[in-house]
Amino acid sequence: MNLIQNFVQNPWRASAFAFIAKLQALALAGVQGIPSDLTEDNANIQPFIIRVHQSIVNGTTSYSFDLKAGNTPGLSIEKKLTNNDVFMLVSSALCIQKYDPAAPDFSKPLYTHPDPTYFTAAIAAQLELIYGGKMSLKAGSNNRIDMLDTSLLRYSPGANFNGTVTAPVDNPQYGPYAEDRGYFDHGIYPIIFGNETNVVEFSLAQGSTASIADTGANKNNLVYLGLGWKFLGTTSNSSCTTV
């Protein structure tokens, strides 16, 4: 009797080991001061989410996000890369969030699709142009993601929004895994160095954006989330912090 053994691999766990392999290759090349003795056991690697915000503007059809801390004024909730960071981008989410630009309050939910009840039907139709456009990532002098269709980043979870922005009744239901929260796995994971110029750009599909921003304290904002692994150095006691 032949026995067939099936292995179910966790993609998130597999991406961590892919990062270690890339770091070891970089160490051999003497890049970014990565120690040559880096191993699975002594690599201090942690999950990290790049988070950058930008106000959506009526009539604007492209948005550029600088991923390096200190280059541009940022919001308190944003998370960017510093000079010593080595980051591997695994997946991306493109979200819309409401907050008052005069007094930002980040209690409003992140939407990965333009819910017509939440945003109103007229404005949701314009927000759909965000998910009909393109995404690019330039890391240093290299184009690491070039004209990716943002339709891949559109995610409509189970259940619909009910109520109003100020008095929500039911919010969309998101799941426990990254894909269930609207993240798109890139499959091939670019390495990003914090000491380089790293920019994510989005261009919208053709269409009217005359009132896409909404008004007052309910302004719409574009939020990019980049989920991956960040290398923090090596541990001295050989404890594994990767998994």
Side-chain angles (χ1 to χ4, degrees):
M1 179 178 178
N2 294 327
L3 297 178
I4 299 176
Q5 188 170 16
N6 293 319
F7 293 92
V8 178
Q9 188 177 52
N10 182 300
W12 178 239
R13 179 180 173 89
S15 70
F17 285 99
F19 187 33
I20 293 172
K22 288 190 176 185
L23 288 172
Q24 290 172 332
L26 291 171
L28 290 174
V31 176
Q32 197 77 4
I34 301 171
S36 59
D37 63 345
L38 184 140
T39 66
E40 169 191 334
D41 292 327
N42 69 8
N44 190 349
I45 296 172
Q46 299 293 332
F48 186 78
I49 297 176
I50 294 173
R51 178 170 180 157
V52 284
H53 289 231
Q54 195 167 146
S55 295
I56 294 175
V57 179
N58 292 336
T60 297
T61 58
S62 63
Y63 296 86
S64 179
F65 294 90
D66 190 336
L67 304 186
K68 186 172 182 179
N71 279 359
T72 55
L75 300 169
S76 60
I77 201 169
E78 289 186 306
K79 294 170 65 181
K80 299 185 178 183
L81 300 176
T82 60
N83 278 336
N84 294 326
D85 288 338
V86 181
F87 176 76
M88 185 178 77
L89 176 65
V90 175
S91 54
S92 292
L94 183 57
C95 310
I96 308 164
Q97 185 179 37
K98 287 187 174 295
Y99 57 82
D100 184 352
D105 177 348
F106 303 103
S107 61
K108 299 290 194 304
L110 289 167
Y111 272 79
T112 51
H113 76 293
D115 186 297
T117 302
Y118 187 80
F119 293 101
T120 76
I123 293 178
Q126 297 177 51
L127 292 170
E128 285 287 359
L129 301 176
I130 294 172
Y131 297 97
K134 306 291 183 182
M135 169 188 172
S136 297
L137 167 64
K138 188 171 184 178
S141 59
N142 300 311
N143 289 322
R144 304 307 307 274
I145 297 173
D146 189 24
M147 302 296 284
L148 177 74
D149 289 304
T150 52
S151 59
L152 294 169
L153 307 179
R154 189 187 189 283
Y155 175 70
S156 180
N160 295 316
F161 173 81
N162 287 301
T164 65
V165 172
T166 55
V169 176
D170 289 314
N171 283 309
Q173 180 180 351
Y174 291 84
Y177 302 106
E179 292 79 6
D180 302 322
R181 298 171 187 157
Y183 284 93
F184 169 73
D185 190 308
H186 288 285
I188 296 177
Y189 308 136
I191 297 292
I192 302 174
F193 298 105
N195 62 347
E196 295 183 339
T197 300
N198 301 296
V199 177
V200 172
E201 296 179 338
F202 294 96
S203 59
L204 277 59
Q206 184 176 350
S208 173
T209 57
S211 56
I212 192 173
D214 212 339
T215 59
N218 288 324
K219 288 289 293 291
N220 294 322
N221 294 265
L222 196 61
V223 183
Y224 171 71
L225 304 176
L227 171 64
W229 298 98
K230 187 166 74 168
F231 175 61
L232 303 176
T234 55
T235 60
S236 59
N237 59 1
S238 296
S239 61
C240 180
T241 59
T242 307
V243 292

